[in-house]
């Protein structure tokens, strides 16, 4: 119980601007203590983490991505390296993902693969030579459908938040 009282006394002193809250620097100006939840090295550490993560998925160093993709519902990271669709600016394709679950038990059939894919395939009278099969891809954090995976195991993202770099 005495420890609690000491903590309360220190908090009161800090709130009232007491000696523990402000100290004088060498030049006589007031110095405030560092914020307890601020890490000045956090940005550098985060960049190293992303570089390390992308390095495991990419063979070439120095490659850039068109966007970093996040789930629209929970903001979880779902892709660090992707290509933006040439025609549909809100769609991306990728080979490597994170925080995603592919439901291989469920299939989606698209009669026109060009509406989801990279623009390949023929458009003879609105149909293609074969019907592409896709599997829904969900965010593993919240379950929101964020993409589909084709038979070549390429992910096609269409329901994501993209931060363009």
């Amino acid at each position: 119980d005495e420890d609690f009282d000491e903590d309360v006394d220190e908090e009161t002193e800090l709130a009232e601007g007491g000696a523990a809250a402000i100290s004088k620097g060498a030049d006589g100006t007031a110095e405030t203590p560092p914020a307890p939840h601020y890490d000045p090295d956090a940005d550098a550490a985060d960049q190293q983490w992303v570089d390390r993560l992308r390095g495991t998925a990419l063979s070439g160093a120095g490659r850039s991505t068109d966007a970093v993709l996040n789930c629209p519902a929970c903001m979880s990271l779902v892709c660090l390296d992707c290509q933006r669709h040439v025609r549909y600016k809100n769609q991306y394709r990728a080979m490597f993902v994170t925080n995603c679950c592919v439901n291989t038990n469920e299939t989606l059939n698209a009669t026109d693969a060009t509406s989801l894919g990279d623009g390949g395939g023929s458009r003879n009278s609105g149909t293609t030579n074969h019907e592409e099969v896709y599997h829904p891809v969900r965010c593993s954090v919240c379950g929101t459908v964020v993409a589909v995976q084709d038979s070549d195991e390429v992910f096609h993202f269409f329901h994501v938040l993209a931060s363009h770099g």
Side-chain angles (χ1 to χ4, degrees), residues 75-146:
M75 302 290 289
S76 294
L77 176 69
V78 293
C79 185
L80 285 170
D81 184 45
C82 63
Q83 282 184 322
R84 191 175 195 178
H85 194 286
V86 175
R87 182 180 303 146
Y88 305 107
K89 299 297 183 189
N90 63 338
Q91 293 183 16
Y92 301 85
R93 67 178 177 182
M95 294 293 295
F96 306 103
V97 299
T98 185
N99 296 323
C100 289
C101 297
V102 180
N103 185 352
T104 56
N105 295 328
E106 184 179 348
T107 59
L108 306 170
N109 297 319
T111 56
D112 187 1
T114 59
S115 66
L116 289 173
D118 59 358
S122 66
R123 284 192 171 254
N124 299 338
S125 67
T127 62
T128 58
N129 294 338
H130 69 285
E131 192 172 286
E132 183 75 46
V133 175
Y134 297 95
H135 299 287
V137 178
R138 297 183 180 275
C139 170
S140 61
V141 177
C142 69
T144 300
V145 174
V146 293

Side-chain angles (χ1 to χ4, degrees), residues 34-100:
H37 301 291
Y38 174 72
D39 182 2
D41 301 323
D43 286 341
D46 290 346
Q47 185 63 49
Q48 288 176 348
W49 175 80
V50 169
D51 291 344
R52 190 171 52 252
L53 189 62
R54 289 190 72 219
T56 61
L58 301 173
S59 59
R63 287 189 49 187
S64 63
T65 181
D66 288 342
V68 173
L69 306 179
N70 297 88
C71 173
C74 69
M75 302 290 289
S76 294
L77 176 69
V78 293
C79 185
L80 285 170
D81 184 45
C82 63
Q83 282 184 322
R84 191 175 195 178
H85 194 286
V86 175
R87 182 180 303 146
Y88 305 107
K89 299 297 183 189
N90 63 338
Q91 293 183 16
Y92 301 85
R93 67 178 177 182
M95 294 293 295
F96 306 103
V97 299
T98 185
N99 296 323
C100 289

